[in-house]
Amino acid sequence: MQKRKMTKWLFPLAVASLVLLSACGGGAKPAAETGAAGTGTGAGAGQTAAAGEASKDPIKVGAIFSLTGPNSPLGVPEKQAVEMLVKELNAAGGVDGHPLEVVFEDDKSDNTEAVKAIKKLVSKEKVVAVLGSSGSGPSLGMAEFAAAEKLPMISMAAADQITNPVRAGIFKTPHTDVHGTKRIFKYLQEKGITKIATLNDSNPYGSGWTAQLQKYAPEYGITIVAEEKYGTKDPSMSSQLTKIKGTDAQALIVAGTNPGPATIVKEVKQLNLTIPIISSHGSANSKFLELAGDSAEGVLMVAGKLLVPDQVDGSDPQATIIKKFADGYQAAYNAEPDGFAGYGYDGLNLLVEGLKQAGGDASKLGEVLEKVKYVGVTGEFSFSAEDHNGLTEDSMIMVEVKDGQYQIIK
């Protein structure tokens, strides 16, 4: 495939006048709405007319999120967070005086659709970088294409293999399954738990967790006594749970995105499986509480601090930005943000910081991002040539569901 040329962000003046997409999935909506829900038209550049910036060419960025399908509880808040930030940035004058335009696409939670979307953004929209996708499978397909095209990309998906091994221009904002695994195992050590069972989605996200749980268990003195998997669309996991109940496992680790983990905890209660249930950060949102209902009570979860913004200590380096984002999101959408919204917010902030440091030369963006240091809502990012995620497990927390709410375990 012919490599696309990266040039300075010069675009036709015809795109300088834009309308905003509506926020997908409810909440407050921008005044104007165009195109199919969650796809196509750019968002945000129109705000800069009042700031006197409409005569400058916009910087065009692509964003591919899972706005429909199983991963939509991840993709919808990611899109909303990006739309909110675009409005804020453009109201303040954009990026170095250039309005920022984000062109959204929906990958429908499908790997093939994600690749089709990124190809469209490159060939038709001529974007300088891409955010997304929400899921690990779609992100891996996108990353392969983006790396070949030398297109900078920041993923909102958790799988370690998105950025490991490192590829030029490919970055990600969530904690990886490695971080989550280590944080959970540290907690199990503290509780004296040495035998576990695992139940993971068979998709790339769940499979990535399986690999890391297997890899790091010996380091923490933990033995995996049962390993079970389920399909993303499976309506029941009772057969796997019945097998696990017959083992001497002291805890069960679940790795997947909703609705799977919610179904699992419901069936755990039905089967009277009484060992602690610990879920990955793939289901760390309000949707899990909604789907699981009373069965969520007592479930443990590894997560980012944004899941419980009011419980973050004021001395924490992330406290200020978490409060700012949480308050802004609540005002815009009448809803509390979750970690997935934070991934989108951090992704665009990181990209904007890179654009500023690149001094208008998009060909330098991938290289510049490797040097970006940024305190975000997800964690303190410190990208390097060897680390395109820039986070550690220390910025993750353990929470427990109590009275239908997440509470930090201290």
Side-chain angles (χ1 to χ4, degrees):
M1 180 180 294
Q2 185 178 1
K3 303 290 189 293
R4 78 179 184 83
K5 295 183 178 179
M6 299 293 292
T7 60
K8 291 191 176 183
W9 43 64
L10 300 178
F11 301 99
L13 292 176
V15 296
S17 179
L18 300 167
V19 291
L20 290 175
L21 279 178
S22 66
C24 197
K29 296 185 178 182
E33 184 171 311
T34 63
T39 62
T41 314
Q47 264 80 19
T48 51
E53 302 292 346
S55 62
K56 293 189 177 182
D57 296 328
I59 302 168
K60 188 182 284 191
V61 172
I64 302 170
F65 298 135
S66 299
L67 305 178
T68 56
N71 287 337
S72 59
L74 289 62
V76 170
E78 288 165 355
K79 177 176 182 283
Q80 290 178 325
V82 168
E83 287 181 319
M84 182 186 79
L85 182 55
V86 169
K87 291 171 67 176
E88 177 185 326
L89 290 167
N90 284 336
V95 182
D96 291 336
H98 293 263
L100 182 65
E101 176 188 353
V102 178
V103 184
F104 292 97
E105 292 288 335
D106 177 12
D107 67 20
K108 305 173 186 176
S109 304
D110 181 83
N111 301 1
T112 301
E113 290 293 330
V115 175
K116 285 169 60 177
I118 195 172
K119 288 180 178 179
K120 175 184 174 183
L121 290 171
V122 168
S123 63
K124 181 179 178 181
E125 302 294 344
K126 311 299 182 186
V127 297
V128 300
V130 168
L131 300 174
S133 177
S134 312
S136 295
S139 288
L140 287 166
M142 287 169 54
E144 182 177 351
F145 176 82
E149 290 289 317
K150 300 188 183 302
L151 176 73
M153 168 183 153
I154 302 179
S155 171
M156 276 77 251
D160 183 58
Q161 57 264 47
I162 294 170
T163 53
N164 184 19
V166 166
R167 288 177 284 187
I170 309 301
F171 301 84
K172 63 189 295 295
T173 55
H175 292 96
T176 69
D177 37 27
V178 174
H179 299 142
T181 292
K182 289 182 175 181
R183 185 64 187 87
I184 289 174
F185 281 170
K186 179 180 178 182
Y187 172 80
L188 294 179
Q189 275 190 324
E190 293 169 353
K191 298 300 179 181
I193 293 174
T194 59
K195 295 180 180 181
I196 65 168
T198 64
L199 179 53
N200 303 328
D201 196 317
S202 57
N203 66 11
Y205 175 78
S207 297
W209 264 87
T210 300
Q212 305 310 330
L213 292 167
Q214 292 169 337
K215 179 178 179 179
Y216 290 101
E219 181 179 323
Y220 288 82
I222 291 170
T223 301
I224 302 175
V225 298
E227 293 181 348
E228 297 290 336
K229 295 183 179 181
Y230 65 92
T232 304
K233 298 181 180 180
D234 286 356
S236 173
M237 297 80 174
S238 60
S239 62
Q240 296 96 318
L241 291 169
T242 299
K243 293 178 184 177
I244 291 169
K245 187 177 181 180
T247 71
D248 59 350
Q250 298 167 291
L252 168 62
I253 298 178
V254 176
T257 57
N258 294 312
T263 300
I264 289 168
V265 299
K266 285 182 177 180
E267 294 184 333
V268 161
K269 295 296 174 71
Q270 293 168 5
L271 292 168
N272 197 30
L273 180 59
T274 58
I275 60 176
I277 310 300
I278 306 174
S279 182
S280 73
H281 56 318
S283 55
N285 57 16
S286 59
K287 192 68 175 178
F288 172 79
L289 299 177
E290 175 189 332
L291 293 173
D294 293 342
S295 297
E297 195 70 14
V299 170
L300 307 173
M301 192 173 292
V302 65
K305 298 168 188 173
L306 182 60
L307 187 66
V308 286
D310 294 337
Q311 299 176 45
V312 178
D313 191 281
S315 63
D316 191 301
Q318 294 177 245
T320 300
I321 190 169
I322 286 175
K323 178 173 175 50
K324 176 180 181 291
F325 173 60
D327 289 349
Y329 193 93
Q330 177 72 43
Y333 301 111
N334 194 31
E336 293 183 0
D338 56 26
F340 304 105
Y343 300 155
Y345 185 77
D346 283 340
L348 184 56
N349 269 318
L350 285 161
L351 185 56
V352 167
E353 184 62 28
L355 288 168
K356 290 178 179 178
Q357 293 186 25
D361 189 348
S363 67
K364 295 180 180 178
L365 183 54
E367 176 186 347
V368 167
L369 280 170
E370 284 191 343
K371 303 175 178 136
V372 167
K373 313 294 180 189
Y374 161 73
V375 178
V377 298
T378 308
E380 297 179 63
F381 291 87
S382 183
F383 288 150
S384 69
E386 295 78 30
D387 185 355
H388 282 195
N389 183 218
L391 296 171
T392 71
E393 65 271 17
D394 294 337
S395 54
M396 300 195 83
I397 57 174
M398 293 295 298
V399 300
E400 180 179 0
V401 180
K402 291 184 177 180
D403 299 323
Q405 301 292 327
Y406 294 112
Q407 296 288 329
I408 290 182
I409 300 173
K410 295 182 180 179

